[in-house]
Amino acid sequence: MIIRFLEDTFIRTAANTYGNPLGFVFKGAEVAVKQNPVEGEVIEDNRWWYCDDNGWYYWSGKAEIVQPLPAVSEAVIIPDLPKQESDPPQPTHLSDMEAPVFINKTALPRNESIPEGETRLVPLLEDLLLAEERFQRSLSS
């Protein structure tokens, strides 16, 4: 199923907050996760965590389900159809693409690494500039 994050959320190696996070996903990012959440550390009275195919965990408290997986009996294979003129245009600019996912490689524990072939989207320049501006304001406060 697909989930969307309602706030910037840490990526964890287990269903708890122990140790350094692998990185984080931005608010609005969508991630494919396994159908059933797992029980883990309780945060704000919520013990449910989502896990993706990499074995990475995301706390469910600030996420929503966007696309649940169909039940096995409901699964239907639809053949690829030729593109029609009424199809929406494909994104051509970075700003038209989905929310980015950022992995902080310096926060990776020494015994873990990002799997080969794994792809990460780079944050939009505007988002990076806003984050830098917030950081600079926090220094001057």
Side-chain angles (χ1 to χ4, degrees), residues 26 94 97-103 119-124:
F26 285 115
L94 226 58
M97 296 183 180
E98 66 183 63
V101 177
F102 175 75
I103 299 296
T119 306
R120 298 289 176 256
L121 296 176
V122 177
L124 297 174

Side-chain angles (χ1 to χ4, degrees), residues 44-98:
E44 297 177 17
D45 296 327
N46 181 336
R47 69 176 67 244
W48 301 105
W49 293 69
Y50 293 112
C51 182
D52 65 16
D53 287 335
N54 295 315
W56 296 344
Y57 292 84
Y58 312 90
W59 180 60
S60 69
K62 300 296 180 183
E64 64 184 352
I65 297 173
V66 177
Q67 177 187 4
L69 291 175
V72 175
S73 61
E74 298 173 8
V76 177
I77 299 175
I78 300 174
D80 289 336
L81 299 174
K83 186 172 176 146
Q84 306 214 354
E85 290 180 28
S86 61
D87 287 346
Q90 296 299 314
T92 55
H93 302 309
L94 226 58
S95 60
D96 296 333
M97 296 183 180
E98 66 183 63

Side-chain angles (χ1 to χ4, degrees), residues 16 25 34 71 73 89 96 104 109-110 124:
N16 59 53
V25 290
K34 295 177 182 173
S73 61
D96 296 333
N104 180 357
R110 292 187 181 169
L124 297 174

